[in-house]
Amino acid sequence: MIRSLLLATAAAVMLATGASAAAPIIPAPVSNTPREGAFQLDARTVISPPANDAQALASARYLADLLERSRGLKLAIRAPRPGERAIVLSRQGPAGEAYKLDVEGQRISIASAGDAGMFYGVVTAWQLATAEPGKGPALLPARRIEDAPRFGWRGVMLDSARHFQSVDYVKGLIDRMAQSKLNTLHWHLTDDQGWRLELKKYHKLTEVGAWRVPAGPAA
């Protein structure tokens, strides 16, 4: 009873201050409708993908990993038991990169018939869960989100021909792209400045072509 009153009070404060309408979702979704109530995310919350759905399971694992790294919450991935709060993934939604997301008192529902849409719905759920910084449980104001990308090509260009980036940096960039719902990496690997992709069979590409000798008389 006390817990219910606390949740209701916190949700009312968020609604009154406009926090519910200003959810930090990147990019801003097509439709974002605040509702009454809130979802309490904590270590007892479970993530439930459809059975025998490898791509949905991969998205569920990605969400679990993000929440563990960002909020320190280790969520189980399984079907919810009666009365358990759950993040439920389903295929009863739009196709392609579109998705629907509902935040209610006992459920966060993410629905998309497309693998990309399921993934982007999961990313949005994570963005909502990290709206407030810090570790531990989070209170997500209730809302309904319907979203689909405005542009099919949403990319970043990485210039490795002229600038050095470590493997960890490139991996991190791809992660940050995914978390911003960008879908195309234009990787500029070669130019007259150098050849940056090592191929064992064609070793001279890097032995000779990995740098450019300044113009001028030969030594």
Side-chain angles (χ1 to χ4, degrees), residues 10-207:
V13 169
M14 289 182 175
L15 286 169
T17 59
S20 178
I25 302 170
I26 301 173
V30 173
S31 174
N32 181 7
T33 307
R35 293 179 168 182
E36 293 185 2
F39 178 89
Q40 175 72 27
L41 176 71
D42 57 32
R44 294 172 293 180
T45 305
V46 301
I47 304 174
S48 178
N52 303 315
D53 189 327
Q55 291 299 319
L57 178 59
S59 291
R61 287 172 172 166
Y62 185 73
L63 177 58
D65 179 64
L66 285 177
L67 290 172
E68 184 172 5
R69 284 189 282 144
S70 58
R71 299 216 69 92
L73 300 174
K74 191 168 185 177
L75 275 56
I77 299 176
R78 57 171 172 77
R81 302 186 183 101
E84 282 187 317
R85 292 185 304 278
I87 302 172
V88 179
L89 282 55
S90 76
R91 292 298 191 177
Q92 306 295 318
E97 295 183 296
Y99 66 90
K100 292 182 179 180
L101 187 149
D102 284 288
V103 180
E104 301 172 300
Q106 288 293 110
R107 289 283 185 275
I108 295 177
S109 302
I110 301 169
S112 179
D115 293 336
M118 181 72 73
F119 178 82
Y120 294 141
V122 157
V123 169
T124 293
W126 171 72
Q127 291 175 346
L128 292 172
T130 53
E132 295 296 328
K135 300 286 186 176
L139 191 68
L140 284 63
R143 66 183 64 249
R144 162 164 281 193
I145 293 170
E146 297 186 29
D147 197 15
R150 295 163 180 80
F151 305 99
W153 181 292
R154 306 181 305 282
V156 167
M157 197 277 279
L158 178 64
D159 186 355
S160 297
R162 298 174 181 86
H163 309 280
F164 175 79
Q165 298 96 16
S166 67
V167 172
D168 286 342
Y169 177 88
V170 176
K171 289 180 177 180
L173 176 66
I174 294 171
D175 277 341
R176 292 189 292 275
M177 287 178 60
Q179 291 159 15
S180 297
K181 306 184 180 82
L182 300 174
N183 65 0
T184 302
L185 174 65
H186 175 187
W187 199 354
H188 190 50
L189 277 168
T190 65
D191 212 320
D192 63 337
Q193 280 83 0
W195 183 278
R196 306 305 182 201
L197 182 63
E198 183 180 18
L199 301 175
K200 299 294 186 181
K201 185 176 181 180
Y202 303 105
H203 54 90
K204 285 194 173 182
L205 287 172
T206 47
E207 289 176 5

